[in-house]
Amino acid sequence: MLRSVDPPIQSIHGDTIRGVRRVGKRIVLAFDADRFLVVHLMIAGRLRWRAPGKKPGMGAKMLLASFDFAHGTLFFTEASSTKRASLQLVQGEAALRALDPGGVEPLAVSVDQFHDALTRESHTLKRALTDPHLFSGIGNAYSDEILHAARLSPMKLTRSLSDAELMRLYAATRATLERWIDLLREETGDGFPEKVTAFHGEMAVHGRFRQPCRVCGSPVQRIVYAENECNYCATCQTGGRLLADRSLSRLLKDDWPRSIDDL
């Protein structure tokens, strides 16, 4: 696995790329001789395409690897000091399958299969949707959007859903992912998708803390934990109840507002 290299540029020459696929959140480049280059961008990793002889346009410290083709160069960069993005070269389909966390494809399963994955363990909805062992490819941002569309609390337990709530979540998952696939494809057009970000102006709640909910106008709320955050609308999703932020609620104690009206 290549995380950061010294010198930072590693070049691959000569191989023919046979196709591109996805394994969970990993991007897989298939080459000759049954070899696969597996890229995990994590949060700050990016792929940038440049015409032959062109530089990527950023500092050398951000450049992790380059892949040279006859018609251009693909640069792998990461704008983070933690260097969490990864690159693996594996041989054979079996080795590639071993990298798959095993989550079901949310757009390819029936409602019963969706339910089975969701309730395999007792988790909050937020945690379950973002668990790659349960669902493939749903990250922090789209889980926020899905739960808002389904009008469900991110902290609701998976095994406590009613039949109606399950159907809302299943429908919202498919509709949200399909909408964003179409929207991002339309925005990219024939270009290369370099401006990849977890935040987008069209999102309903993710990245919109304190901004008005697009449905009801209430200020969007958030819970911050570790290096992630959960964004939600208290009016649309929790019956007006504010979810406790671990750090702030402990700090404010009795002064922590319990409902959207208390704000």
Side-chain angles (χ1 to χ4, degrees):
M1 181 182 294
L2 175 66
R3 292 191 180 277
S4 62
V5 294
D6 187 19
I9 300 177
Q10 298 290 318
S11 295
I12 296 177
H13 298 273
D15 278 0
T16 300
I17 189 168
R18 293 190 290 106
V20 181
R21 67 174 87 170
R22 177 178 65 85
V23 174
K25 293 183 180 179
R26 294 171 173 85
I27 300 169
V28 180
L29 304 180
F31 289 89
D32 291 335
D34 208 23
R35 293 197 294 177
F36 301 96
L37 195 66
V38 185
V39 180
H40 199 323
L41 298 177
M42 295 299 288
I43 295 175
R46 297 291 184 271
L47 293 174
R48 306 173 189 275
W49 178 258
R50 296 291 183 269
K54 297 292 185 180
K55 296 182 179 180
M58 72 272 312
K61 290 184 178 180
M62 292 176 58
L63 188 55
L64 299 182
S66 66
F67 311 102
D68 298 325
F69 302 93
H71 54 296
T73 301
L74 185 66
F75 293 99
F76 181 29
T77 70
E78 185 175 19
S80 172
S81 59
T82 57
K83 301 303 179 189
R84 293 182 177 178
S86 66
L87 177 65
Q88 293 171 276
L89 183 64
V90 299
Q91 181 75 46
E93 289 283 351
L96 182 62
R97 287 195 298 271
L99 299 177
D100 189 347
V104 301
E105 291 290 344
L107 293 179
V109 294
S110 67
V111 66
D112 289 337
Q113 292 168 322
F114 182 89
H115 175 265
D116 290 345
L118 187 71
T119 58
R120 190 175 304 159
E121 298 179 22
S122 182
H123 290 316
T124 64
L125 293 179
K126 175 71 174 182
R127 180 179 173 186
L129 288 176
T130 56
D131 186 340
H133 299 92
L134 303 179
F135 296 99
S136 179
I138 301 179
N140 193 44
Y142 295 116
S143 62
D144 283 349
E145 296 298 289
I146 288 168
L147 290 169
H148 179 261
R151 307 189 306 280
L152 291 170
S153 168
M155 297 297 107
K156 189 174 183 65
L157 293 178
T158 54
R159 293 177 179 174
S160 69
L161 289 180
S162 67
D163 291 344
E165 289 171 332
L166 172 66
M167 292 304 299
R168 288 211 312 268
L169 182 60
Y170 177 71
T173 299
R174 296 176 65 86
T176 299
L177 295 179
E178 287 172 348
R179 173 178 180 264
W180 279 99
I181 289 171
D182 291 343
L183 189 151
L184 294 176
R185 281 177 175 171
E186 182 179 353
E187 285 188 350
T188 302
D190 295 329
F192 191 87
E194 289 194 16
K195 296 180 179 179
V196 179
T197 175
F199 305 100
H200 193 286
E202 291 295 317
M203 286 187 167
V205 288
H206 187 75
R208 291 178 52 81
F209 178 49
R210 292 180 176 172
Q211 297 181 47
C213 167
R214 297 188 185 279
V215 174
C216 71
S218 297
V220 170
Q221 304 300 310
R222 74 177 176 188
I223 307 170
V224 178
Y225 55 98
E227 296 183 358
N228 288 319
E229 65 178 59
C230 173
N231 301 261
Y232 69 99
C233 172
T235 300
C236 293
Q237 295 175 249
T238 64
R241 181 172 60 90
L242 295 182
L243 302 176
D245 181 288
R246 288 184 179 179
S247 56
L248 285 178
S249 59
R250 287 174 181 171
L251 176 66
L252 296 177
K253 296 182 179 179
D254 292 340
D255 291 329
W256 175 257
R258 304 297 177 184
S259 71
I260 193 71
D261 293 334
D262 291 340
L263 289 176

